[in-house]
Amino acid sequence: MERKIDTAPEEDRAPRPVARVTGLYRGTFAGLVPLTVKTPLTPDQVRRNPIFYELDLNHEYADENLIIDLVYDNLSPRRLPDLFRGTDIPRGIRFWPDWFTIPPYDEMHDLDGRRVYPRAPGIHTVQVRTACRKFAQIGRSRDFSPENGGSTSPVFEIMIAGDDHV
């Protein structure tokens, strides 16, 4: 893979990421609606519907496949399915919404062993990492470094409403 770089002088020619996550959305009958703290998910939506994230794909990496990890509430990164150009991501499409589900457990343990409640009412955080997929990474640890086109999204905050806020 040839290394792609930005040409802006203020960025010291840093490698450009293969994809950036630009937003989180929920699906409605009217289409995708931005998901923020001010637009909470109901407990029923958490159980039944996925959350969509929007990928801003770098057109210079038009033939690269993607690896994606999700970090929800500071839990260990969860590996999402690899995306293949031409099948999972159509060629020539610049923005691509994919989806994930909130962990299906009422109680879990984070990296430090503390109890967390991923589906509990309140504010939760989501972060998404992306990079190029290399065949040598199949079944091994994945490389999200800038040299591999890696990018980590900003921390998105979402809200899960309690039964009384519906």
Side-chain angles (χ1 to χ4, degrees):
M1 174 181 78
E2 182 181 327
R3 186 175 165 188
K4 312 290 190 237
I5 54 175
D6 281 331
T7 57
E10 66 274 0
E11 294 187 22
D12 295 329
R13 300 183 58 81
R16 292 185 65 194
V18 65
R20 290 183 177 129
V21 174
T22 58
L24 296 179
Y25 302 87
R26 69 171 152 189
T28 66
F29 291 115
L32 296 177
V33 176
L35 185 57
T36 66
V37 173
K38 295 178 181 174
T39 57
L41 292 167
T42 65
D44 188 53
Q45 289 172 328
V46 171
R47 281 190 296 275
R48 296 175 188 243
N49 300 335
I51 293 175
F52 292 85
Y53 60 91
E54 182 178 40
L55 288 173
D56 180 10
L57 302 171
N58 184 344
H59 68 280
E60 293 177 5
Y61 288 98
D63 294 329
E64 297 292 336
N65 300 319
L66 301 177
I67 55 174
I68 301 173
D69 278 2
L70 171 76
V71 180
Y72 182 81
D73 277 351
N74 293 323
L75 295 168
S76 60
R78 192 173 75 179
R79 188 178 201 156
L80 296 180
D82 294 353
L83 297 178
F84 298 94
R85 293 290 181 130
T87 55
D88 297 323
I89 303 174
R91 296 192 191 282
I93 302 296
R94 182 142 168 82
F95 294 95
W96 184 253
D98 202 0
W99 60 274
F100 66 88
T101 56
I102 292 175
Y105 309 104
D106 290 329
E107 179 180 322
M108 297 176 68
H109 295 276
D110 68 2
L111 293 172
D112 296 328
R114 294 177 296 210
R115 284 189 195 144
V116 293
Y117 304 93
R119 292 184 170 220
I123 297 174
H124 297 272
T125 61
V126 176
Q127 210 169 11
V128 183
R129 303 187 303 183
T130 60
C132 291
R133 179 184 179 271
K134 295 183 179 177
F135 288 103
Q137 294 171 330
I138 296 174
R140 298 186 184 150
S141 64
R142 294 155 25 129
D143 180 12
F144 290 94
S145 67
E147 292 77 26
N148 196 29
S151 172
T152 301
S153 74
V155 175
F156 295 102
E157 290 185 336
I158 63 171
M159 174 84 129
I160 297 176
D163 290 327
D164 56 340
H165 289 93
V166 179

